[in-house]
Amino acid sequence: PLDHAYSLTTGTTSAELLRKLNEQRDIIALMEVKMKEMKATIRQLRVTEAKLQEEVRERDRLLSAGAAVKKM
Amino acid sequence: PLDHAYSLTTGTTSAELLRKLNEQRDIIALMEVKMKEMKATIRQLRVTEAKLQEEVRERDRLLSAGAAVKKM
């Protein structure tokens, strides 16, 4: 009876551990997908930032040129 | 001997499962930290994007005003 109880408990525990292992594995897989998406978003936002900074510089050049013309 | 072997195998498996469970838990914890950092980065990049877009708009207004003055 003791052996049986131990065996049963051990079996239940192993099954429970396996279930949790699989749950965690699924969570990790989902998080990896999410992180890939976030990395792509960050990459895209950095490209957009560089583009906008260039647009600001281009307009500043035009404004400087305009100011120089007015002074002439 | 069979009982012993089964018990030993079960014990080893449970210990192995527990070890893997803890490894996975650590991985999940690290990924959560990483995801929080990435979320903060995305939030900051969106703020920067909005600011730069406003800067572009402001310079476009100035350029339009300058163009209007020249036409007068």
Side-chain angles (χ1 to χ4, degrees), chain B:
Chain B
L2 260 179
D3 270 359
H4 179 65
Y6 176 77
S7 166
L8 194 65
T9 302
T10 306
T12 304
T13 300
S14 286
E16 182 73 6
L17 289 174
L18 259 180
R19 193 180 61 72
K20 286 192 182 176
L21 256 183
N22 285 323
E23 274 180 13
Q24 281 185 340
R25 190 185 52 187
D26 291 346
I27 289 171
I28 289 172
L30 286 173
M31 289 175 85
E32 278 172 352
V33 168
K34 185 70 184 163
M35 281 179 74
K36 265 192 194 171
E37 289 173 0
M38 292 171 84
K39 272 185 195 170
T41 298
I42 288 172
R43 200 178 312 120
Q44 183 53 53
L45 283 168
R46 289 202 197 283
V47 169
T48 300
E49 180 183 1
K51 202 183 110 236
L52 284 167
Q53 274 171 345
E54 179 52 35
E55 286 186 29
V56 170
R57 274 192 296 271
E58 172 64 17
R59 280 152 180 76
D60 278 344
R61 276 193 292 271
L62 291 172
L63 286 167
S64 295
V69 166
K70 279 189 201 165
K71 281 191 192 166
M72 279 169 34

Side-chain angles (χ1 to χ4, degrees), chain A residues 2 7 57 60:
Chain A
L2 260 180
S7 165
R57 273 192 297 270
D60 280 344

Side-chain angles (χ1 to χ4, degrees), chain A residues 8-25:
Chain A
L8 194 66
T9 302
T10 305
T12 304
T13 300
S14 287
E16 182 73 6
L17 289 174
L18 259 180
R19 193 180 61 73
K20 286 192 183 178
L21 258 182
N22 285 324
E23 273 181 13
Q24 284 188 343
R25 189 185 53 188

